Amino acid sequence: MFKKIIVPVDIGQLDKGEKILRKAMELVDDGGVILLLNVAEDIPGYMTIELPADFIEASIREAVDRLKALNDKTGATAQIHTRVGSPAREILAVAEEQAADLVIIASHRPDFSNYLLGSTADRVVRHAKCSVLVDR
Ligand code: ADP
C-alpha cells in the first residue's frame, strides 16, 4: 500500500515506537522501505556548559542502539536515521527528502491522554505533504 514509510520514534516512548513500527510493517509494500527516525533535540547554547562535551553524540549513539534493538525485537529491517534539531521540523524534512508516502506517528504520551495530539504530532499533521497516520 505504501512504498516508503517514516516511523519517528521518541526513545523515551519506545513502547509507542514499537506499536507504530508494527503498524508500518503491516502497511508497507513488498520491497518497500521503512525508515526509523529519532531526532535528538538540540541543546540551547546557554545550557551546553552544564553538559558533557559529547552529550549530543552520546544521545545519537544511544538512539541508534535502541532503534537497532527495536528492529531485532520486531523482525523489521527498517533503515535507521538520526537527526539533530526540532523533532517536528526534522521529521517533516526527512519525509520530504526521502519522498516518503506515509508518516506514522503516535498521538501523544500516555499520561497526557486528555490531549488529542501532542505538539510534535500536531505540527507533523498540519505541515506534512504526504499522508500521516496518527496512532491512538
Ligand atoms: P508528547 O508531547 O505527548 O510527547 P509528541 O507529539 O511530542 O507528544 O510525540 C508524539 C510522537 O511524535 C512520538 O510518539 C513520536 O512518534 C514522535 N516524536 C516525538 N518526539 C520525537 C523525537 N525526538 N524523535 C522522533 N520522533 C519523535
Side-chain angles (χ1 to χ4, degrees), residues 2-7 32-37 78-83 89-103 129-130:
F2 296 97
K3 291 182 179 56
K4 193 172 267 190
I5 304 179
I6 310 284
V7 177
V33 174
I34 300 173
L35 208 145
L36 281 171
L37 169 66
Q79 295 179 7
I80 291 174
H81 285 233
T82 58
R83 302 276 283 230
R89 194 179 313 137
E90 297 305 320
I91 292 165
L92 291 164
V94 171
E96 264 198 77
E97 283 164 22
Q98 295 284 330
D101 47 6
L102 182 68
V103 176
K129 296 193 173 140
C130 66

Side-chain angles (χ1 to χ4, degrees), residues 30 32 64 106 136:
D30 284 346
V64 170
R136 294 212 199 281

Side-chain angles (χ1 to χ4, degrees), residues 8-10 13 16 20 37-41 87 91 104-109 112 117-122:
V9 177
D10 177 347
Q13 311 180 53
K16 291 218 155 196
I20 57 178
L37 169 66
N38 175 256
V39 183
E41 289 190 56
I91 292 165
I104 305 184
I105 195 160
S107 51
H108 55 70
R109 263 173 252 182
F112 292 151
L117 279 183
S119 56
T120 304
D122 182 56

Side-chain angles (χ1 to χ4, degrees), residues 40-51:
E41 289 190 56
D42 216 357
I43 311 290
Y46 65 86
M47 281 181 68
T48 50
I49 199 143
E50 308 281 346
L51 296 167

